[in-house]
């Protein structure tokens, strides 16, 4: 109705609340998809976690403690003493010379399966082979001089299992699943201990763990490093209780697979604990009370494996790291509750990132999305370094990054679309500068009510009704489209807002919705320009004489702002000036003028060449003084 100016805002689904909801939906979908992928590929998640822990281990690799002495059989040793496997008599001489130096425990990381390769049994088919001396006896004598642990390998072939250290168990069975094999490949020689030296490669063949216990044909056998630790502690048996393996005073949690994650030492420091065989035998060394490991490092004979710190680590060095890890007490353990804790923390951080990304600015969203993963990774690393808890530093962080960045991108895209729709919608009504201001400030999507000084301008096409009856609908609409396009350009050029078109009329506001300096003078200039425009438009034959424009104007304080229910909002302006401007536009017809202004506008711009048109009766306002201006020539 006259006096109420309604300006339709953006479509309901484009308001900020809908933008937030759209972003949240996208973020939640990304979160669910990432969770589904994680459930479908748990091995990949485990590999990522282990790779992150490997990186931490490599960054904090420690130097050897000095409690373990490694003696490597190098390529030079094989060149001097002969290729591997050696006759047992030669190995017996090596063990004898090491025993002379009184080590605490000797571990032979050499699987001596079968008979002496240079003895009568192995060479029975060779002429004179049956008369060769048997080196197994000499080696057995040498082994009796020092507490020795022999190495055994896992075998697919079932067979008798040699004597093993006794296993004592107390309390309920430990919920663990040790490594399993059908049998063991071991020497027939006897020693103080026998342990399985098998090393299982994980992702990319990387060795991260050594077995504490294995199952060989349902018989529990100790791991090589665990058996050496038992002997060094002087324990007569392996003991299991409360989910731990007790080796004397050393207690090792069995975990899910009865294995131990090693803390690999820096290869650059291996020389501090390593001697070549030639060095070990050529001079005396103080090996008393030390744990001595003898193994191969020659590439042509040794099994070189990848670890967290090096791609080529001899098995004997890996076993040495396992023993030093046990001695240090700084175990890297993954508790049973770790997975649930990681899921809970990841969900909390992801939901926080989702909320911030959907409701906050892009800068705040990206900051929080990047800060949360860093905070978690730092916390997980601190717990690992200080408490030995192997929490996953990477997968929860990745989940937060996926959720946060996806939601941020969705919010930015939705906001961009929102701005584009706002621009398209407002460009029909406002000047480009005002449109850019609204698009840059999404909070202005709802403008609060306020009292503003407004200049209202109403237009109408003189004699429109007869022309409308005479013209075809297509011609009439085409003429109106051209007319309103030119009118809009003039209004925008003077900083006004086209509130709406009603038939052949236009309702225009100046100084709304934002401040417009000199809005009264700009409105008068626009009114005069519209007069001239109307004359020129009507003179064009294509417009069939339509276009002469009547203008009514008045200024005053109006109540303006968004009014609506729920998501449907209209920008409204109402008050005395709106009603007077609308009635003045109609009164110009009876007065024979095309521009008519009210007394408040005339008083605000006294320097203009106003011409009085007398007082006229305006419905609802009584007699009102009116004024006009000569048209621009």
């Amino acid at each position: 109705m006259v006096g109420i100016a309604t300006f339709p805002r953006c479509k309901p689904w484009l308001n900020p609340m809908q933008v937030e909801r759209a972003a949240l939906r996208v973020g939640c979908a990304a979160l669910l998809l990432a969770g589904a992928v994680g459930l479908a590929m748990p091995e990949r998640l485990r590999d990522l976690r282990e790779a992150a822990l490997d990186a931490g281990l490599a960054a904090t690799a420690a130097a050897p403690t000095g409690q373990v002495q490694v003696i490597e059989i190098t390529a030079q040793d094989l060149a001097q003493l002969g290729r591997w496997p050696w006759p047992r008599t030669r190995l017996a001489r090596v063990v004898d010379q090491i025993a002379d130096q009184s080590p605490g425990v000797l571990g032979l990381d050499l699987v001596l399966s079968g008979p002496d390769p240079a003895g009568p049994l192995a060479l029975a088919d060779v002429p004179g082979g049956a008369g060769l001396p048997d080196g197994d006896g000499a080696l057995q004598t040498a082994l009796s001089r020092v507490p020795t642990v022999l190495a055994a390998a896992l075998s697919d072939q079932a067979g008798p299992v040699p004597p093993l250290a006794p296993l004592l168990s107390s309390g309920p069975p430990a919920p663990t699943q040790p490594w399993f094999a059908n049998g063991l490949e071991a020497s027939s020689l006897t020693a103080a201990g026998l342990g399985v030296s098998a090393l299982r490669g994980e992702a990319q063949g990387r060795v991260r763990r050594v077995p504490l216990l294995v199952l060989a044909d349902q018989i529990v056998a100790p791991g090589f490093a665990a058996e050496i630790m038992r002997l060094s502690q002087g324990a007569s048996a392996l003991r299991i209780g409360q989910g731990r393996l007790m080796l004397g005073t050393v207690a090792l949690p069995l975990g899910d697979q009865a294995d131990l994650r090693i803390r690999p030492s820096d290869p650059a420091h291996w020389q501090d604990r390593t001697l070549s065989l030639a060095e070990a035998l050529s001079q005396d060394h103080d090996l008393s009370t030390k744990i001595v490991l003898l193994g191969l490092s020659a590439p042509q004979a040794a099994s070189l494996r990848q670890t967290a710190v090096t791609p080529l680590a001899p098995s004997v060095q890996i076993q040495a790291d396992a023993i030093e890890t046990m001695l240090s007490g700084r175990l890297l353990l993954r508790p049973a509750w770790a997975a649930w804790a990681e899921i809970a923390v990841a969900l909390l951080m992801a939901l926080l990132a989702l909320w911030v990304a959907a409701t906050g600015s892009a800068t705040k969203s990206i900051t929080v999305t990047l800060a949360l993963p860093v905070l978690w990774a730092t916390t997980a690393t601190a717990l690992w370094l200080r408490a030995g808890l192997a929490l996953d530093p990477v997968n929860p962080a990745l989940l937060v990054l996926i959720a946060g960045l996806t939601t941020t991108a969705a919010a930015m895209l939705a906001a961009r679309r929102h701005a584009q729709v706002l621009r398209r919608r407002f460009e029909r009504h406002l000047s480009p500068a005002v449109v850019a201001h609204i698009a840059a400030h999404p909070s202005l999507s709802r403008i609060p009510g306020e009292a503003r000084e407004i200049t209202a301008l109403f237009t109408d096409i003189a004699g429109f009704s007869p022309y409308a009856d005479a013209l075809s609908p297509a011609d009439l609409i085409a003429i109106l489209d051209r007319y309103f396009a030119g009118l809009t350009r003039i209004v925008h050029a003077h900083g006004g807002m086209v509130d709406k078109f009603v038939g052949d009329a236009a309702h225009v506001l100046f100084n709304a919705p934002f401040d417009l300096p000199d809005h009264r003078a700009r409105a008068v200039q626009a009114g005069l320009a519209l007069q001239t425009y109307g004359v020129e438009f009507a003179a064009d034959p294509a417009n069939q004489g339509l276009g002469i424009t009547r203008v009514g104007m008045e200024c005053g304080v109006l109540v303006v702002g968004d009014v609506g229910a729920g998501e449907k909002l209209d920008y409204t302006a109402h008050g005395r000036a709106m009603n007077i401007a609308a009635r003045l536009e109609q009164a110009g017809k009876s007065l024979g003028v095309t521009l008519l202004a009210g007394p408040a506008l005339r008083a605000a711009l006294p320097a203009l060449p106003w011409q009085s048109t007398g007082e006229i009766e305006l419905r609802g306002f009584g007699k009102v003084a009116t004024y006009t201006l000569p048209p621009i020539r």
Side-chain angles (χ1 to χ4, degrees), residues 9 57 151 166 211 228 262 269 289 321 380 384 506 509 539 550 617 620:
R9 302 304 298 261
L57 287 170
I228 290 175
I262 63 173
H269 297 299
T289 72
D321 284 338
W384 161 53
L509 300 176
R550 289 196 304 268
E617 183 76 25

Side-chain angles (χ1 to χ4, degrees), residues 180-391:
F180 175 82
N182 292 328
L184 293 180
E185 181 181 348
S187 173
S188 59
L189 299 171
T190 60
L194 178 68
V196 177
S197 62
L199 298 174
R200 182 171 60 185
E202 300 179 29
Q204 291 83 45
R206 182 169 292 182
V207 174
R208 298 186 174 100
R209 296 169 175 83
V210 297
L212 296 176
L213 299 174
V214 298
L215 281 177
D217 193 22
Q218 301 304 316
I219 297 176
V220 179
F224 183 68
E227 181 68 353
I228 290 175
M229 182 58 62
R230 179 186 71 83
L231 285 184
S232 71
Q233 291 289 306
S236 59
L238 305 166
R239 291 187 297 119
I240 297 178
Q242 299 180 341
R244 293 175 177 270
L245 174 65
M246 274 72 75
L247 305 171
T249 60
V250 175
L252 304 172
L254 289 173
D256 294 336
Q257 296 183 314
D259 55 16
L260 171 77
R261 179 156 193 150
I262 63 173
R263 287 183 177 269
S265 58
D266 189 344
H269 297 299
W270 284 352
Q271 60 183 358
D272 297 336
R273 72 178 181 196
T274 304
L275 297 170
S276 68
L277 182 60
E279 292 172 334
L281 301 183
S282 62
Q283 52 187 315
D284 290 336
H285 298 276
D286 183 13
L287 301 181
S288 60
T289 72
K290 284 192 176 182
I291 297 173
V292 178
L293 298 181
L294 175 64
L296 289 157
S297 67
Q300 65 268 38
S303 175
L304 303 180
R305 308 295 295 273
Q306 181 182 7
T307 68
V309 293
T310 179
L312 298 174
S315 171
V316 67
Q317 294 288 358
I318 296 175
Q319 297 291 351
D321 284 338
I323 294 169
E324 297 216 63
T325 300
M326 296 177 190
L327 291 170
S328 70
R330 298 177 62 237
L331 307 179
L332 186 60
L333 308 174
R334 183 162 174 79
W337 48 262
W340 294 108
E342 290 160 0
I343 292 173
V345 171
L347 286 177
L348 287 175
M349 292 193 303
L351 291 175
L352 177 59
L354 282 175
W355 181 78
V356 174
T359 60
S361 65
T363 301
K364 183 178 180 181
S365 171
I366 293 175
T367 300
V368 171
T369 299
L370 296 179
L372 286 175
V374 171
L375 176 63
W376 168 250
T378 302
T379 302
T381 302
L383 288 173
W384 161 53
L385 291 175
R386 294 183 176 272
L389 296 178
L391 297 180

Side-chain angles (χ1 to χ4, degrees), residues 151-173:
L154 296 175
S155 174
D156 293 333
Q157 303 297 320
V161 176
L164 299 168
L167 176 66
L168 304 179
S169 179
S170 61

